[in-house]
Amino acid sequence: EDQVTQSPEALRLQEGESSSLNCSYTVSGLRGLFWYRQDPGKGPEFLFTLYSAGEEKEKERLKATLTKKESFLHITAPKPEDSATYLCAVQAQGGSEKLVFGKGTKLTVNP
Amino acid sequence: GAGVSQSPSNKVTEKGKDVELRCDPISGHTALYWYRQSLGQGLEFLIYFQGNSAPDKSGLPSDRFSAERTGGSVSTLTIQRTQQEDSAVYLCASRLYSNQPQHFGDGTRLSIL
């Protein structure tokens, strides 16, 4: 069974304090790994897709990396507006279209 | 352009009643998905539509849950004889091509009294 585990569950940072969020996964052949951001009362907002080990993607203060067992979302010099829950999901090969999500990491960035 | 639209945004109903939740996907998106997000749980896949067909219904939790899609566009998720454990946020997503990400609506928050 495909599984995604995210850690930590919650993370508090001071503005400017860089850190990383972890997403460990087991999947029967990875088709894609997805990072989303979710604000309270809103749906998940797409950030990145990673397809193969060694791949990296960047957007503003965020950088996502992928290995064969885990992905990291690195946040450099975060700002209060980066506060949100960050979700990781995997999609397996073999025709399945569903995303399997982790429970997320709730990030709070204090000014 | 317009994103995925879901209605109602909130729904409160009594146990045992039937409810219908609506999803309008992004125009032109061929694939549509329903997920459920319960308190403290991750998003849980319910059903996937390609056009008007549902090749994967594996996530529907019981036969009280059903969904349909018409005209390759709007989808409705119906829950019959609601139970308290059905309380959750129901999220809809759509995508254009198979190598494109799923884009989500803001969900319907369903509360069963």
Side-chain angles (χ1 to χ4, degrees):
Chain A
E1 184 180 341
D2 303 331
Q3 281 193 319
V4 177
T5 303
Q6 292 189 245
S7 62
E9 290 184 11
L11 181 63
R12 284 186 175 273
L13 299 174
Q14 289 299 122
E15 185 171 1
E17 179 187 3
S18 302
S19 189
S20 297
L21 313 182
N22 178 264
C23 170
S24 298
Y25 66 90
T26 54
V27 64
S28 53
L30 180 69
R31 183 173 163 188
L33 184 141
F34 301 80
W35 282 98
Y36 285 85
R37 168 192 171 127
Q38 187 173 28
D39 292 300
K42 299 291 187 180
E45 175 189 348
F46 170 72
L47 293 174
F48 304 110
T49 310
L50 301 167
Y51 295 102
S52 57
E55 190 175 0
E56 299 183 351
K57 294 242 177 113
E58 283 189 70
K59 179 181 178 181
E60 296 181 353
R61 295 177 292 281
L62 301 177
K63 182 168 96 172
T65 62
L66 181 65
T67 72
K68 288 186 178 180
K69 294 185 177 181
E70 58 191 350
S71 177
F72 291 93
L73 185 65
H74 306 278
I75 303 176
T76 302
K79 299 182 177 182
E81 53 262 42
D82 294 323
S83 297
T85 295
Y86 290 85
L87 301 172
C88 174
V90 296
Q91 189 174 45
Q93 292 177 350
S96 173
E97 283 284 330
K98 68 179 182 182
L99 296 180
V100 176
F101 281 86
K103 293 184 179 181
T105 293
K106 183 176 181 180
L107 174 67
T108 304
V109 182
N110 296 313
Chain B
V4 176
S5 177
Q6 293 188 246
S7 61
S9 54
N10 285 283
K11 177 72 176 179
V12 181
T13 193
E14 293 179 347
K15 178 182 170 181
K17 300 287 188 183
D18 297 352
V19 294
E20 272 193 5
L21 312 180
R22 177 186 168 108
C23 173
D24 284 272
I26 294 171
S27 178
H29 280 199
T30 56
L32 184 148
Y33 309 77
W34 284 98
Y35 292 84
R36 178 169 73 173
Q37 188 172 31
S38 304
L39 196 62
Q41 300 296 315
L43 273 80
E44 172 191 19
F45 168 79
L46 297 177
I47 188 169
Y48 153 60
F49 286 93
Q50 181 61 45
N52 292 335
S53 300
D56 189 352
K57 307 178 184 180
S58 62
L60 295 178
S62 75
D63 59 8
R64 297 186 296 105
F65 288 72
S66 63
E68 65 174 13
R69 190 179 185 195
T70 55
S73 182
V74 172
S75 176
T76 55
L77 176 69
T78 302
I79 309 173
Q80 296 180 311
R81 305 180 302 282
T82 53
Q83 304 294 312
Q84 287 190 333
E85 61 262 28
D86 299 335
S87 295
V89 177
Y90 289 82
L91 290 158
C92 177
S94 69
R95 63 139 179 86
L96 182 56
Y97 300 119
S98 62
N99 63 346
Q100 297 292 304
Q102 297 176 23
H103 295 278
F104 285 82
D106 287 338
T108 294
R109 182 174 298 276
L110 178 63
S111 300
I112 310 299
L113 303 178

